[in-house]
Amino acid sequence: MASNFAARANQALMQSSPQWRLVVWLLLMLSASLWTLQLWQNGARVQSDILAMLPHLQQDKLTERALNQVEATLADQVYIALVAKDETKAIAAAKLLMQKLEADLVARGKQGALTDIRSADMQLGEALGQFYFPHRFKLLTAPQAEALASQNIESLIEAATAQLYNAFSYANSNLLAQDPLLLFPANLLTLAPSSKVRASQGILLANQGDNVAAVVMAKGRESAFNPNAQLAQMTVLTQGLDAVKQSYPDITVLKAGALFHALAATQTAKSEISILGLASLLGVIALVWLAFRSVMPLLLAIVTISSGLLLAVTFTLSVFGELHLLTLVFGTSLIGIAIDYSFHFYCERLSNTERSAKATVAYIFPTVTLAFITSALAYVGIGLAPFPGMQQVAIFCAAGLLGAYLTLILAYPLLAGSRLPEGSRPLALAGTYLACLTQLSKRFTTPLGMGMFALVILIWCLGGITKLTVDDDIRHLQQSPASVTRPENQLRQLLSGGTDNQFLLVRAPSEEALLQQLERVSPMLNAAIANQELGNYVSLSRYLPSHQKQDTAYRLQGEIYQTQLEQVLTSLGLDENLKPELQAAYLAAKTEYITPAAFFTLGAGKQLAPLWLAPNEANSPVSNGALNDGGVSAEHGADQGADYGAIVLLGGIQQIDTLKARFAHDESVQLIDKVADISAVMGHYRLLTLKLLALALGIALLLFSLNFGFKNAAVVVAVPALAALLTLATLGLTGSPLSLFHALALILVFGIGIDYSLFFASAQNHGKAVMMAVFMSACSTLLAFGLLAFSQTQAIHYFGLTLSLGIGFTFLLSPLILTTTLALTTNQLLTTKKS
């Protein structure tokens, strides 16, 4: 059935003139060019964000909102530490840097590359004091609450007396008149998180050995993974740091933030695109010239590659609206595959120089079409992965193959009409190699030879596959250079571990229940810090006590203001006339509470607003302007009827598994580890991809049985199957762990290997031409994928390494199909004669 369809399509092509085919091809390429140009003008862009390649996790709405909040809050932050030998110089350098960054922001207005330039907030304590002081009757530290609960008010009086006679005390007559036991200042101090950093003259400082580091922070206006934004942000930073270096030459600069990782990734990707792509292109050009010694095959090879790349870009931008840099890196491999059609065409012309270009296209059309379909299906298999970037690779390469295929069918009959120079030498070399393989394969057809061959393959496969390990960690997708990670790690240590990507999501059915949950979680995290499982954490429980906790503090302070107030005033030598005012203030505060809505109107509250997730975003502090930078907007939709949620940021995580175990049996507390979750998804799809590979082999066996019969079809499919097994075994023997990218590469090994097998199975009397074409095809593919194996990005390295091994094994095994199918045919004829 498939062969009848190919025959009818071939007949239709033969009846059409080469001129009309070329016109159709030119119109197609022109349309693709114009459409691509329009897409660029309408906002299509190049994407360099490595995160864009990651799989989408299936999460509930609250978890998804939490992930978006954390990413929006932490993403695009830039941290600069200026390390000097003395504090004065560090502060001066930090002020100069902030002045330069703010000058650019003022000059550019809203278009400034960096916004929210800051260090220490000196007005923070005053603002918090003004907010919390009216609620002082509902605030108690743990020691204060314990003293009041045990009716040990004398200890509080002694502490207040000590403060009165302390030269550095914060006590004054106004504060004593409203808080005679001076309880509030101690409560205000608890709001400041424990940290190694301190503030001076509005600058955040941290000690680094004998040196002092001044820390400046800023936020990128646009994503750090946008190449244009990277350039703008780095330009501003470089100008500011150059000014600092000129004034303070001995200053050491430490930098941290996604910007520097993204910049390194962009530079690596651009370098690899230019180097690997150029090397692959030059290698293919040299290969074509050495084989055919003619300008026309070289020009048509370039036309084939160019048309493939044009359609690849057009389809990718049409589907995704953007083109990932890593797609372009992977796409360099398209050069090695798209050129295969040109190789098969010209090798067939060399084998029969009297045949016209149109007749040659018609002759190879059935096999090329079947090869294109199987290769395209292999790329579709890659597109089933949950990676937007890998889905782009699938579309890019499948469309590129389509462009090369259409160029062969539509343009070659006219453009390749000129005669070729004498090509007997390349064909003779291919024939010699094929003859040697034929002699070798005859030895394997004996029972002893087949047994020895099978034993060697079995030992190799079992020995390698049993040693094969797996690695699905997404952090190995891209590893930043030491020049980026080393200063970042030093800066994280200065900031008490900084903030990690992992965080706690605490949920509850109501606002009050959530606040109580946060208060229950904090002691557990304090214990984790004491056990060195964790460096620090940021929780709203420090700033938002539950109503229950506030009521408890209010009730305990009743011991002071309703029972012991006269004793307190007398002991401290205060005017007894203060009693009525204090009692009235105490009673008036009974119904007044510290609430999230009020807290998030503060400057400090706005910074912490992303940690609060209300069920209805329309009523949340985020939508009321509490979140000024990069929160989750209303586009995510209201979470009607869902739980309240709060995010607890974690920093300096040392023992993630132990930390997870602390909350393993608490359904209301979830440790969100996106890295681990995505890695688990990668593991799942790695297994699924390998199963799809097995399924594809089965489908190919059934499909080819219609054309070649079951035995020959089994031989055709056995080559890529055996090549995949040998590749896995070699990876195991060399210690390379198996990842999703290895599995995806094996899908392509199948697609390309099937091409080689099909051409040899269809070779009949043209074995030398097929051998030469497959040799050149394998060389070009190895040039492309072999170069990818040298990529600094692990994902690309794994992909290229696996394909290089797989194609190498396929090239060595596929010529055996010719001798095997001939042997099967001969045996069948002998059996028929005997019967």
Side-chain angles (χ1 to χ4, degrees), residues 19-39:
Q19 290 79 7
W20 277 110
R21 290 200 214 179
L22 183 62
V23 169
V24 171
W25 179 80
L26 288 173
L27 289 174
L28 179 63
M29 294 300 119
L30 179 62
S31 300
S33 301
L34 294 175
W35 178 245
T36 302
L37 182 62
Q38 184 180 358
L39 290 173

Side-chain angles (χ1 to χ4, degrees), residues 35 274 378 543 736 825:
W35 178 245
S274 58
Y543 306 94
S736 180
T825 304

Side-chain angles (χ1 to χ4, degrees), residues 641-677:
D643 289 342
Y644 280 79
I647 296 166
V648 179
L649 298 177
L650 306 175
I653 298 175
Q654 301 296 326
Q655 302 176 38
I656 184 75
D657 293 333
T658 307
L659 197 60
K660 284 182 178 179
R662 289 183 177 272
F663 306 101
H665 304 292
D666 192 340
E667 294 182 358
S668 63
V669 182
Q670 181 183 2
L671 198 155
I672 306 295
D673 187 355
K674 188 175 181 179
V675 171
D677 292 341

Side-chain angles (χ1 to χ4, degrees), residues 94-403:
K95 287 184 175 180
L96 177 59
L97 177 60
M98 293 178 68
Q99 178 186 346
K100 293 295 182 181
L101 298 181
E102 287 169 352
D104 176 79
L105 183 60
V106 171
R108 297 176 182 271
K110 293 183 179 180
Q111 300 302 314
L114 293 173
T115 63
D116 194 19
I117 300 157
R118 64 198 187 280
S119 188
D121 188 353
M122 300 304 291
Q123 286 75 44
L124 177 61
E126 182 180 349
L128 290 175
Q130 292 176 355
F131 174 75
Y132 285 105
F133 189 74
H135 304 285
R136 62 192 177 279
F137 301 108
K138 294 190 174 181
L139 294 172
L140 286 174
T141 64
Q144 291 170 352
E146 183 179 352
L148 290 173
S150 59
Q151 298 184 344
N152 184 15
I153 198 169
E154 289 78 10
S155 64
L156 298 180
I157 294 174
E158 291 176 4
T161 303
Q163 285 295 323
L164 286 174
Y165 294 101
N166 188 338
F168 301 100
S169 172
Y170 36 70
N172 56 56
S173 58
N174 185 42
L175 179 60
L176 284 168
Q178 299 178 79
D179 182 21
L181 285 177
L182 301 176
L183 301 179
F184 179 71
N187 282 276
L188 193 60
L189 287 175
T190 62
L191 298 177
S194 58
S195 176
K196 300 176 184 177
V197 298
R198 63 186 190 281
S200 177
Q201 301 181 42
I203 301 298
L204 200 63
L205 300 173
N207 292 329
Q208 188 190 48
D210 297 331
N211 299 325
V212 177
V215 181
V216 175
M217 295 164 282
K219 185 177 179 65
R221 185 177 62 86
E222 295 183 70
S223 170
F225 296 100
N226 181 319
N228 294 329
Q230 288 174 18
L231 179 62
Q233 292 172 27
M234 281 304 301
T235 300
V236 174
L237 276 176
T238 302
Q239 291 173 352
L241 292 174
D242 286 345
V244 170
K245 279 289 186 181
Q246 289 178 1
S247 301
Y248 308 96
D250 56 343
I251 286 284
T252 302
V253 179
L254 301 178
K255 296 179 287 188
L259 170 64
F260 309 106
H261 292 275
L263 187 65
T266 301
Q267 291 174 343
T268 299
K270 287 182 177 179
S271 173
E272 290 180 354
I273 288 171
S274 58
I275 295 174
L276 299 183
L278 181 62
S280 179
L281 185 60
L282 291 177
V284 169
I285 290 173
L287 194 63
V288 174
W289 176 259
L290 289 174
F292 304 116
R293 300 298 178 91
S294 174
V295 175
M296 185 53 68
L298 193 57
L299 292 177
L300 277 182
I302 295 174
V303 168
T304 304
I305 294 171
S306 301
S307 60
L309 290 176
L310 174 60
L311 283 194
V313 172
T314 302
F315 274 72
T316 305
L317 292 180
S318 298
V319 174
F320 298 98
E322 62 182 19
L323 189 61
H324 202 288
L325 276 174
L326 289 182
T327 301
L328 291 175
V329 175
F330 277 111
T332 60
S333 62
L334 180 63
I335 296 172
I337 303 174
I339 200 66
D340 289 358
Y341 302 141
S342 184
F343 290 157
H344 284 289
F345 172 84
Y346 276 108
C347 287
E348 284 296 336
R349 289 212 68 190
L350 278 178
S351 67
N352 189 347
T353 56
E354 300 301 322
R355 185 186 291 149
S356 66
K358 181 179 179 182
T360 303
V361 169
Y363 178 78
I364 65 173
F365 174 78
T367 306
V368 168
T369 301
L370 195 55
F372 163 70
I373 292 172
T374 53
S375 297
L377 288 176
Y379 281 116
V380 170
I382 287 182
L384 295 175
F387 292 82
M390 294 311 296
Q391 290 166 358
Q392 277 198 24
V393 170
I395 295 292
F396 187 92
C397 292
L401 281 182
L402 177 62

